[in-house]
Amino acid sequence: MNQETIDSETREALLKAIARSRGWMETILSGKTASFDAIAAHEGLAERHVRRLAVLAFLSPKVVQAIADGAAPSGVTVSNLTQARPHAWADQERLLGLG
């Protein structure tokens, strides 16, 4: 089975969004920032946008590695990764055909 993988532009956008969301979560968990609202105000974004991207901080390491390696299936985008994702890493991996 030879499945197409993400292109380099999509890969870079995904990695940037994941890194950004991890940074936001770190500022909240460390107490440097109190809320998504504060992050949104600082970044000049809507709070809804920040909340939507924040889920990327909790992606399975295997999913993140597949993205970093450029091995994630084509069609994987920031938009679809932020929509109703399973919380269990195994389920995330299976959903993307990595499990």
Side-chain angles (χ1 to χ4, degrees), residues 5-29:
T5 56
I6 57 173
D7 60 51
S8 61
E9 185 176 319
T10 301
R11 178 183 163 275
E12 292 304 315
L14 285 163
L15 292 175
K16 182 178 177 181
I18 292 166
R20 194 175 194 191
S21 68
R22 286 180 172 181
W24 292 340
M25 292 308 300
E26 177 57 34
T27 64
I28 288 174
L29 294 172

PDB file of all heavy atoms in Angstrom, residues 5-29:
ATOM      1  N   THR A   5       1.972  11.125   1.127  1.00  0.00           N
ATOM      2  CA  THR A   5       2.272  11.778   2.393  1.00  0.00           C
ATOM      3  C   THR A   5       2.181  13.290   2.245  1.00  0.00           C
ATOM      4  O   THR A   5       2.110  13.810   1.135  1.00  0.00           O
ATOM      5  CB  THR A   5       3.679  11.379   2.889  1.00  0.00           C
ATOM      6  OG1 THR A   5       4.629  11.695   1.877  1.00  0.00           O
ATOM      7  CG2 THR A   5       3.743   9.888   3.205  1.00  0.00           C
ATOM      8  N   ILE A   6       2.203  13.972   3.380  1.00  0.00           N
ATOM      9  CA  ILE A   6       2.070  15.424   3.379  1.00  0.00           C
ATOM     10  C   ILE A   6       3.220  16.080   2.624  1.00  0.00           C
ATOM     11  O   ILE A   6       4.327  15.551   2.569  1.00  0.00           O
ATOM     12  CB  ILE A   6       2.001  15.995   4.818  1.00  0.00           C
ATOM     13  CG1 ILE A   6       3.229  15.601   5.638  1.00  0.00           C
ATOM     14  CG2 ILE A   6       0.723  15.603   5.497  1.00  0.00           C
ATOM     15  CD1 ILE A   6       3.301  16.262   7.007  1.00  0.00           C
ATOM     16  N   ASP A   7       2.944  17.239   2.051  1.00  0.00           N
ATOM     17  CA  ASP A   7       3.994  17.987   1.360  1.00  0.00           C
ATOM     18  C   ASP A   7       4.774  18.815   2.384  1.00  0.00           C
ATOM     19  O   ASP A   7       4.356  18.966   3.534  1.00  0.00           O
ATOM     20  CB  ASP A   7       3.411  18.854   0.247  1.00  0.00           C
ATOM     21  CG  ASP A   7       2.401  19.870   0.752  1.00  0.00           C
ATOM     22  OD1 ASP A   7       2.704  20.610   1.700  1.00  0.00           O
ATOM     23  OD2 ASP A   7       1.298  19.931   0.182  1.00  0.00           O
ATOM     24  N   SER A   8       5.899  19.338   1.967  1.00  0.00           N
ATOM     25  CA  SER A   8       6.784  20.052   2.894  1.00  0.00           C
ATOM     26  C   SER A   8       6.144  21.319   3.453  1.00  0.00           C
ATOM     27  O   SER A   8       6.363  21.669   4.618  1.00  0.00           O
ATOM     28  CB  SER A   8       8.125  20.371   2.238  1.00  0.00           C
ATOM     29  OG  SER A   8       7.938  21.193   1.113  1.00  0.00           O
ATOM     30  N   GLU A   9       5.324  21.994   2.677  1.00  0.00           N
ATOM     31  CA  GLU A   9       4.665  23.212   3.153  1.00  0.00           C
ATOM     32  C   GLU A   9       3.675  22.879   4.276  1.00  0.00           C
ATOM     33  O   GLU A   9       3.634  23.565   5.310  1.00  0.00           O
ATOM     34  CB  GLU A   9       3.934  23.888   1.989  1.00  0.00           C
ATOM     35  CG  GLU A   9       3.327  25.225   2.341  1.00  0.00           C
ATOM     36  CD  GLU A   9       2.697  25.895   1.118  1.00  0.00           C
ATOM     37  OE1 GLU A   9       3.289  25.837   0.025  1.00  0.00           O
ATOM     38  OE2 GLU A   9       1.595  26.454   1.283  1.00  0.00           O
ATOM     39  N   THR A  10       2.897  21.828   4.091  1.00  0.00           N
ATOM     40  CA  THR A  10       1.949  21.389   5.114  1.00  0.00           C
ATOM     41  C   THR A  10       2.702  20.921   6.349  1.00  0.00           C
ATOM     42  O   THR A  10       2.327  21.233   7.480  1.00  0.00           O
ATOM     43  CB  THR A  10       1.053  20.256   4.576  1.00  0.00           C
ATOM     44  OG1 THR A  10       0.358  20.740   3.427  1.00  0.00           O
ATOM     45  CG2 THR A  10       0.062  19.779   5.620  1.00  0.00           C
ATOM     46  N   ARG A  11       3.788  20.190   6.135  1.00  0.00           N
ATOM     47  CA  ARG A  11       4.618  19.703   7.239  1.00  0.00           C
ATOM     48  C   ARG A  11       5.102  20.865   8.099  1.00  0.00           C
ATOM     49  O   ARG A  11       5.001  20.851   9.322  1.00  0.00           O
ATOM     50  CB  ARG A  11       5.798  18.916   6.678  1.00  0.00           C
ATOM     51  CG  ARG A  11       6.758  18.409   7.714  1.00  0.00           C
ATOM     52  CD  ARG A  11       7.949  17.699   7.021  1.00  0.00           C
ATOM     53  NE  ARG A  11       9.032  17.578   7.943  1.00  0.00           N
ATOM     54  CZ  ARG A  11       9.955  18.515   8.178  1.00  0.00           C
ATOM     55  NH1 ARG A  11       9.925  19.652   7.528  1.00  0.00           N
ATOM     56  NH2 ARG A  11      10.904  18.315   9.049  1.00  0.00           N
ATOM     57  N   GLU A  12       5.625  21.897   7.453  1.00  0.00           N
ATOM     58  CA  GLU A  12       6.133  23.065   8.190  1.00  0.00           C
ATOM     59  C   GLU A  12       5.019  23.781   8.946  1.00  0.00           C
ATOM     60  O   GLU A  12       5.207  24.187  10.094  1.00  0.00           O
ATOM     61  CB  GLU A  12       6.838  24.034   7.235  1.00  0.00           C
ATOM     62  CG  GLU A  12       8.139  23.503   6.656  1.00  0.00           C
ATOM     63  CD  GLU A  12       9.142  23.075   7.708  1.00  0.00           C
ATOM     64  OE1 GLU A  12       9.341  23.819   8.706  1.00  0.00           O
ATOM     65  OE2 GLU A  12       9.735  21.998   7.551  1.00  0.00           O
ATOM     66  N   ALA A  13       3.851  23.936   8.319  1.00  0.00           N
ATOM     67  CA  ALA A  13       2.718  24.592   8.983  1.00  0.00           C
ATOM     68  C   ALA A  13       2.267  23.797  10.201  1.00  0.00           C
ATOM     69  O   ALA A  13       1.983  24.371  11.264  1.00  0.00           O
ATOM     70  CB  ALA A  13       1.556  24.754   8.000  1.00  0.00           C
ATOM     71  N   LEU A  14       2.222  22.472  10.060  1.00  0.00           N
ATOM     72  CA  LEU A  14       1.830  21.621  11.182  1.00  0.00           C
ATOM     73  C   LEU A  14       2.834  21.711  12.327  1.00  0.00           C
ATOM     74  O   LEU A  14       2.451  21.867  13.489  1.00  0.00           O
ATOM     75  CB  LEU A  14       1.706  20.162  10.715  1.00  0.00           C
ATOM     76  CG  LEU A  14       0.477  19.838   9.891  1.00  0.00           C
ATOM     77  CD1 LEU A  14       0.660  18.516   9.160  1.00  0.00           C
ATOM     78  CD2 LEU A  14      -0.746  19.786  10.778  1.00  0.00           C
ATOM     79  N   LEU A  15       4.111  21.609  12.003  1.00  0.00           N
ATOM     80  CA  LEU A  15       5.136  21.662  13.058  1.00  0.00           C
ATOM     81  C   LEU A  15       5.145  23.011  13.764  1.00  0.00           C
ATOM     82  O   LEU A  15       5.300  23.081  14.991  1.00  0.00           O
ATOM     83  CB  LEU A  15       6.517  21.338  12.476  1.00  0.00           C
ATOM     84  CG  LEU A  15       6.697  19.895  12.009  1.00  0.00           C
ATOM     85  CD1 LEU A  15       8.053  19.723  11.335  1.00  0.00           C
ATOM     86  CD2 LEU A  15       6.526  18.913  13.172  1.00  0.00           C
ATOM     87  N   LYS A  16       4.945  24.062  13.017  1.00  0.00           N
ATOM     88  CA  LYS A  16       4.897  25.403  13.616  1.00  0.00           C
ATOM     89  C   LYS A  16       3.697  25.527  14.558  1.00  0.00           C
ATOM     90  O   LYS A  16       3.820  26.047  15.673  1.00  0.00           O
ATOM     91  CB  LYS A  16       4.814  26.461  12.511  1.00  0.00           C
ATOM     92  CG  LYS A  16       4.809  27.886  13.020  1.00  0.00           C
ATOM     93  CD  LYS A  16       4.778  28.868  11.864  1.00  0.00           C
ATOM     94  CE  LYS A  16       4.692  30.300  12.380  1.00  0.00           C
ATOM     95  NZ  LYS A  16       4.639  31.274  11.308  1.00  0.00           N
ATOM     96  N   ALA A  17       2.545  25.038  14.128  1.00  0.00           N
ATOM     97  CA  ALA A  17       1.335  25.107  14.953  1.00  0.00           C
ATOM     98  C   ALA A  17       1.477  24.246  16.211  1.00  0.00           C
ATOM     99  O   ALA A  17       1.056  24.655  17.303  1.00  0.00           O
ATOM    100  CB  ALA A  17       0.118  24.676  14.141  1.00  0.00           C
ATOM    101  N   ILE A  18       2.072  23.073  16.078  1.00  0.00           N
ATOM    102  CA  ILE A  18       2.280  22.197  17.238  1.00  0.00           C
ATOM    103  C   ILE A  18       3.233  22.864  18.231  1.00  0.00           C
ATOM    104  O   ILE A  18       2.967  22.901  19.438  1.00  0.00           O
ATOM    105  CB  ILE A  18       2.810  20.815  16.798  1.00  0.00           C
ATOM    106  CG1 ILE A  18       1.723  20.061  16.028  1.00  0.00           C
ATOM    107  CG2 ILE A  18       3.299  20.007  18.008  1.00  0.00           C
ATOM    108  CD1 ILE A  18       2.223  18.853  15.254  1.00  0.00           C
ATOM    109  N   ALA A  19       4.329  23.410  17.734  1.00  0.00           N
ATOM    110  CA  ALA A  19       5.291  24.088  18.614  1.00  0.00           C
ATOM    111  C   ALA A  19       4.647  25.279  19.313  1.00  0.00           C
ATOM    112  O   ALA A  19       4.856  25.501  20.515  1.00  0.00           O
ATOM    113  CB  ALA A  19       6.515  24.530  17.816  1.00  0.00           C
ATOM    114  N   ARG A  20       3.869  26.025  18.581  1.00  0.00           N
ATOM    115  CA  ARG A  20       3.192  27.196  19.139  1.00  0.00           C
ATOM    116  C   ARG A  20       2.233  26.779  20.249  1.00  0.00           C
ATOM    117  O   ARG A  20       2.211  27.370  21.332  1.00  0.00           O
ATOM    118  CB  ARG A  20       2.437  27.899  18.014  1.00  0.00           C
ATOM    119  CG  ARG A  20       1.958  29.264  18.330  1.00  0.00           C
ATOM    120  CD  ARG A  20       1.354  29.855  17.064  1.00  0.00           C
ATOM    121  NE  ARG A  20       1.181  31.277  17.207  1.00  0.00           N
ATOM    122  CZ  ARG A  20       0.504  32.026  16.378  1.00  0.00           C
ATOM    123  NH1 ARG A  20      -0.042  31.493  15.311  1.00  0.00           N
ATOM    124  NH2 ARG A  20       0.381  33.314  16.587  1.00  0.00           N
ATOM    125  N   SER A  21       1.437  25.744  19.997  1.00  0.00           N
ATOM    126  CA  SER A  21       0.473  25.285  21.005  1.00  0.00           C
ATOM    127  C   SER A  21       1.187  24.736  22.235  1.00  0.00           C
ATOM    128  O   SER A  21       0.748  24.969  23.363  1.00  0.00           O
ATOM    129  CB  SER A  21      -0.473  24.238  20.422  1.00  0.00           C
ATOM    130  OG  SER A  21       0.200  23.043  20.122  1.00  0.00           O
ATOM    131  N   ARG A  22       2.295  24.045  22.030  1.00  0.00           N
ATOM    132  CA  ARG A  22       3.059  23.539  23.176  1.00  0.00           C
ATOM    133  C   ARG A  22       3.625  24.696  24.003  1.00  0.00           C
ATOM    134  O   ARG A  22       3.645  24.631  25.224  1.00  0.00           O
ATOM    135  CB  ARG A  22       4.191  22.627  22.701  1.00  0.00           C
ATOM    136  CG  ARG A  22       3.700  21.278  22.241  1.00  0.00           C
ATOM    137  CD  ARG A  22       4.831  20.410  21.773  1.00  0.00           C
ATOM    138  NE  ARG A  22       4.398  19.053  21.516  1.00  0.00           N
ATOM    139  CZ  ARG A  22       5.197  18.090  21.111  1.00  0.00           C
ATOM    140  NH1 ARG A  22       6.494  18.327  20.917  1.00  0.00           N
ATOM    141  NH2 ARG A  22       4.726  16.873  20.912  1.00  0.00           N
ATOM    142  N   GLY A  23       4.071  25.728  23.330  1.00  0.00           N
ATOM    143  CA  GLY A  23       4.568  26.911  24.032  1.00  0.00           C
ATOM    144  C   GLY A  23       3.478  27.576  24.854  1.00  0.00           C
ATOM    145  O   GLY A  23       3.707  27.973  26.005  1.00  0.00           O
ATOM    146  N   TRP A  24       2.295  27.673  24.269  1.00  0.00           N
ATOM    147  CA  TRP A  24       1.168  28.265  24.995  1.00  0.00           C
ATOM    148  C   TRP A  24       0.832  27.442  26.231  1.00  0.00           C
ATOM    149  O   TRP A  24       0.622  27.986  27.313  1.00  0.00           O
ATOM    150  CB  TRP A  24      -0.060  28.362  24.110  1.00  0.00           C
ATOM    151  CG  TRP A  24       0.045  29.330  22.979  1.00  0.00           C
ATOM    152  CD1 TRP A  24       0.914  30.380  22.856  1.00  0.00           C
ATOM    153  CD2 TRP A  24      -0.760  29.349  21.803  1.00  0.00           C
ATOM    154  NE1 TRP A  24       0.695  31.040  21.672  1.00  0.00           N
ATOM    155  CE2 TRP A  24      -0.328  30.428  21.009  1.00  0.00           C
ATOM    156  CE3 TRP A  24      -1.792  28.543  21.347  1.00  0.00           C
ATOM    157  CZ2 TRP A  24      -0.907  30.734  19.791  1.00  0.00           C
ATOM    158  CZ3 TRP A  24      -2.370  28.845  20.122  1.00  0.00           C
ATOM    159  CH2 TRP A  24      -1.934  29.937  19.350  1.00  0.00           C
ATOM    160  N   MET A  25       0.761  26.132  26.078  1.00  0.00           N
ATOM    161  CA  MET A  25       0.425  25.273  27.216  1.00  0.00           C
ATOM    162  C   MET A  25       1.505  25.371  28.293  1.00  0.00           C
ATOM    163  O   MET A  25       1.190  25.377  29.478  1.00  0.00           O
ATOM    164  CB  MET A  25       0.236  23.824  26.767  1.00  0.00           C
ATOM    165  CG  MET A  25      -0.984  23.618  25.894  1.00  0.00           C
ATOM    166  SD  MET A  25      -2.537  24.267  26.569  1.00  0.00           S
ATOM    167  CE  MET A  25      -2.661  23.347  28.082  1.00  0.00           C
ATOM    168  N   GLU A  26       2.746  25.472  27.888  1.00  0.00           N
ATOM    169  CA  GLU A  26       3.832  25.608  28.855  1.00  0.00           C
ATOM    170  C   GLU A  26       3.695  26.897  29.656  1.00  0.00           C
ATOM    171  O   GLU A  26       3.908  26.905  30.869  1.00  0.00           O
ATOM    172  CB  GLU A  26       5.192  25.564  28.138  1.00  0.00           C
ATOM    173  CG  GLU A  26       6.377  25.759  29.060  1.00  0.00           C
ATOM    174  CD  GLU A  26       6.457  24.762  30.205  1.00  0.00           C
ATOM    175  OE1 GLU A  26       6.062  23.593  30.020  1.00  0.00           O
ATOM    176  OE2 GLU A  26       6.911  25.155  31.300  1.00  0.00           O
ATOM    177  N   THR A  27       3.323  27.992  29.003  1.00  0.00           N
ATOM    178  CA  THR A  27       3.173  29.249  29.744  1.00  0.00           C
ATOM    179  C   THR A  27       2.020  29.175  30.738  1.00  0.00           C
ATOM    180  O   THR A  27       2.107  29.747  31.825  1.00  0.00           O
ATOM    181  CB  THR A  27       2.977  30.470  28.812  1.00  0.00           C
ATOM    182  OG1 THR A  27       1.764  30.339  28.089  1.00  0.00           O
ATOM    183  CG2 THR A  27       4.152  30.667  27.878  1.00  0.00           C
ATOM    184  N   ILE A  28       0.979  28.447  30.388  1.00  0.00           N
ATOM    185  CA  ILE A  28      -0.151  28.279  31.316  1.00  0.00           C
ATOM    186  C   ILE A  28       0.244  27.353  32.471  1.00  0.00           C
ATOM    187  O   ILE A  28       0.034  27.677  33.643  1.00  0.00           O
ATOM    188  CB  ILE A  28      -1.403  27.757  30.586  1.00  0.00           C
ATOM    189  CG1 ILE A  28      -1.985  28.878  29.723  1.00  0.00           C
ATOM    190  CG2 ILE A  28      -2.445  27.250  31.586  1.00  0.00           C
ATOM    191  CD1 ILE A  28      -3.141  28.462  28.850  1.00  0.00           C
ATOM    192  N   LEU A  29       0.839  26.217  32.148  1.00  0.00           N
ATOM    193  CA  LEU A  29       1.202  25.248  33.184  1.00  0.00           C
ATOM    194  C   LEU A  29       2.269  25.778  34.140  1.00  0.00           C
ATOM    195  O   LEU A  29       2.286  25.427  35.312  1.00  0.00           O
ATOM    196  CB  LEU A  29       1.665  23.938  32.544  1.00  0.00           C
ATOM    197  CG  LEU A  29       0.577  23.178  31.788  1.00  0.00           C
ATOM    198  CD1 LEU A  29       1.168  22.004  31.022  1.00  0.00           C
ATOM    199  CD2 LEU A  29      -0.516  22.704  32.737  1.00  0.00           C
TER     200      LEU A  29
END
